[in-house]
Amino acid sequence: VTQVIGPDTVTLIPATRLIGAILSADIALATVPSAVMEEEDPVRGSENELTASMRLGFALAFGAEIAVEGLLGSGTPDEEALELRGDSAALFGSQGEWTSSSGTLLLRYTSASVLPAGDLLTLRFSILNPFEASSGVTPTLTAPGFLGTAASFVGAILSSSEEPALLEASIEEKIPTVGELNTLTVKFVANAELPAGTNVTVSGLDSAGETPLDKLALTGAVSLLSLDLSAGQIVVQTTSKNYHKTEISFSFTVFNPATRQSPNPVRVAVRAAEGDQFL
């Protein structure tokens, strides 16, 4: 239709229906383009750092919730504020709500800025591996109001595929003179994380001379539980958490034998305070 309006000639085109439907907000269309989870430590009963890398097919705004589910078998008790680390941790207030029975980590988006769809999310958090051997689990990602069905992560975790063991263990002496006080230093490295309260037994000290407690001079991040040189052993307890594959050392002083002796074989045994974990 052409009309003359003053000095201008105007062509009017009637409204035409466009092909296609938009703004449907159909949750069945929301997707998770990628979701990968990796673990750091597969040792039974040890604390395991998990890394989740995700790209969501939907945007997140303040108050939105997503959840990692299916982390079953962990020995970590319920925790309302489980620490989050990683590049995206601050977007969720650096914490998540952990429910042990369902193996669920609930994440609430707390940033004032909207996270665009497709942006990479990287989160790290730590929970205990199962205390018994496990074939592992494949967690899922849920997002009520966004996803119609749960999306599976790539990667099996919490497999507890390795038994706790000592990777290295040694003992050294400082003064080998007959009848003198001798400082012994024990060092060991475990493949598992050892919590505070782990018992460490050193045996094979049968030939040591009787040593009063005020001469023991125990040093290191341990406290004395018992000393029984007639049985040839000392038992100490760690006073702080020790991460896997880190060296633990402590020293103590005992009297050397009153007569010359052949060196004794010495053993160290480690019993974790949680889950009856033995090394």
Side-chain angles (χ1 to χ4, degrees):
V1 178
T2 301
Q3 295 183 353
V4 176
I5 303 176
D8 300 318
T9 300
V10 179
T11 300
L12 302 178
I13 300 176
T16 303
R17 182 185 295 274
L18 298 177
I19 298 173
I22 63 170
L23 302 180
S24 63
D26 185 352
I27 63 173
L29 299 179
T31 62
V32 177
S34 67
V36 178
M37 188 168 291
E38 300 173 314
E39 65 179 357
E40 181 182 84
D41 184 2
V43 177
R44 175 171 58 85
S46 189
E47 186 172 82
N48 195 354
E49 183 177 75
L50 308 180
T51 300
S53 302
M54 304 165 284
R55 292 187 187 275
L56 307 179
F58 48 90
L60 292 180
F62 181 85
E65 294 182 349
I66 60 177
V68 179
E69 299 184 358
L71 298 171
L72 299 171
S74 171
T76 299
D78 290 355
E79 175 61 63
E80 292 184 359
L82 187 73
E83 180 187 10
L84 295 178
R85 301 177 295 279
D87 294 343
S88 307
L91 299 177
F92 298 90
S94 297
Q95 63 183 36
E97 183 178 334
W98 167 253
T99 303
S100 179
S101 59
S102 60
T104 299
L105 180 63
L106 179 63
L107 305 169
R108 294 185 178 91
Y109 192 79
T110 59
S111 174
S113 300
V114 173
L115 179 77
D119 275 17
L120 178 64
L121 286 173
T122 303
L123 298 171
R124 293 184 287 113
F125 58 96
S126 297
I127 57 177
L128 290 175
N129 282 333
F131 292 117
E132 301 295 333
S134 165
S135 59
V137 297
T138 300
T140 59
L141 181 70
T142 61
F146 297 102
L147 292 175
T149 58
S152 295
F153 281 89
V154 175
I157 57 171
L158 301 181
S159 59
S160 297
S161 57
E162 294 184 17
E163 292 291 322
L166 293 183
L167 304 178
E168 302 172 15
S170 66
I171 187 167
E172 302 171 350
E173 64 178 357
K174 187 175 183 180
I175 302 173
T177 308
V178 169
E180 293 293 327
L181 277 172
N182 193 359
T183 299
L184 308 181
T185 300
V186 176
K187 300 178 181 180
F188 63 91
V189 176
N191 68 350
E193 181 177 287
L194 301 178
T198 294
N199 291 354
V200 181
T201 302
V202 179
S203 57
L205 305 173
D206 309 70
S207 62
E210 189 62 34
T211 304
L213 289 179
D214 62 350
K215 298 291 186 181
L216 190 63
L218 181 65
T219 60
V222 295
S223 60
L224 180 67
L225 282 186
S226 67
L227 174 66
D228 186 356
L229 293 180
S230 63
Q233 72 174 30
I234 180 174
V235 183
V236 300
Q237 190 172 77
T238 60
T239 56
S240 60
K241 179 169 68 174
N242 294 276
Y243 291 97
H244 72 295
K245 298 183 180 179
T246 58
E247 184 178 82
I248 301 170
S249 67
F250 60 93
S251 299
F252 58 96
T253 302
V254 295
F255 279 105
N256 282 330
T259 59
R260 187 171 182 176
Q261 304 277 336
S262 298
N264 272 2
V266 179
R267 296 178 60 85
V268 60
V270 180
R271 179 185 183 277
E274 300 178 12
D276 292 330
Q277 176 178 300
F278 290 85
L279 302 176

